[in-house]
């Protein structure tokens, strides 16, 4: 029982830590680019800010995954090895996908911010392209939800 609980909460910790770290890196990449872009075109700050915030969503998915899995664990009277391993796997999957998708989304929006600062009208296209890395984080979040339902 103790080993299963350790595995489950390790998974939850990895989920929150990795997805949050990825979001911090992604928004920092975009934020640094915004600072440079403001020197070229300061009137577009609202656009830069919106794009810079996008990589933060993966951290929210990790936090929501924590609530889902933790609330499920609270309802169990005993945890089996399968349940502990399932929560570990769900946490690891959402954490890793959240980490990488947030970093890569930050790189995508940074390029868009640079383009806008250079005078190109690429806001809409940047938003569309930034959704692609986000899609994989959404899939990992959905998988976490489904794994939780199977516990």
């Amino acid at each position: 029982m103790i080993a299963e609980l350790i595995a489950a909460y390790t998974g939850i910790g990895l989920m929150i830590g990795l997805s949050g770290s990825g979001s911090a890196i992604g928004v920092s990449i975009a934020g640094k680019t915004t600072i440079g872009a403001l020197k070229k075109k300061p009137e577009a700050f609202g656009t830069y800010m919106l794009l810079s915030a996008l990589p933060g969503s993966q951290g929210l998915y990790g936090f929501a995954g924590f609530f889902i899995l933790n609330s499920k664990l609270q309802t169990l009277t005993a945890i089996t090895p399968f349940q502990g391993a399932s929560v570990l796997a769900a946490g690891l999957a959402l954490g890793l996908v959240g980490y990488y998708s947030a970093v890569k989304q930050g790189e995508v929006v940074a390029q868009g911010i640079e383009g806008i600062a250079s005078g190109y009208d690429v806001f809409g296209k940047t938003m569309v392209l930034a959704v692609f890395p986000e899609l994989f984080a959404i899939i990992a979040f959905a998988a976490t939800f489904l794994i939780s339902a199977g516990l």
Side-chain angles (χ1 to χ4, degrees):
M1 172 96 174
I2 295 296
E4 292 84 359
L5 279 173
I6 290 172
Y9 280 101
T10 298
I12 289 175
L14 287 170
M15 178 177 54
I16 296 171
L18 288 171
S19 63
S21 296
S23 284
I25 293 169
V27 296
S28 296
I29 291 169
K32 286 191 292 189
T33 305
T34 294
I35 298 299
L38 286 170
K39 297 172 187 169
K40 293 179 183 175
K41 195 174 179 184
E43 65 273 12
F45 176 69
T47 303
Y48 303 151
M49 186 177 66
L50 181 63
L51 290 172
S52 295
L54 288 178
S57 59
Q58 285 83 351
L60 296 175
Y61 296 145
F63 196 58
F66 158 75
F67 278 107
I68 290 171
L69 290 174
N70 191 48
S71 63
K72 187 67 172 187
L73 288 175
Q74 299 300 317
T75 63
L76 300 174
T77 56
I79 184 168
T80 66
F82 176 77
Q83 291 168 325
S86 296
V87 173
L88 175 64
L92 189 60
L94 181 55
L96 286 174
V97 173
Y99 178 87
Y100 284 110
S101 68
V103 170
K104 294 303 176 184
Q105 190 176 49
E107 293 172 358
V108 169
V109 297
Q111 290 294 311
I113 290 168
E114 283 183 11
I116 293 167
S118 297
Y120 297 100
D121 183 19
V122 294
F123 175 74
K125 292 173 181 157
T126 301
M127 289 289 285
V128 169
L129 293 173
V131 167
F132 294 142
E134 179 98 19
L135 174 65
F136 295 101
I138 292 170
I139 290 170
F141 179 71
T144 299
F145 182 79
L146 293 173
I147 289 170
S148 173
L151 294 178

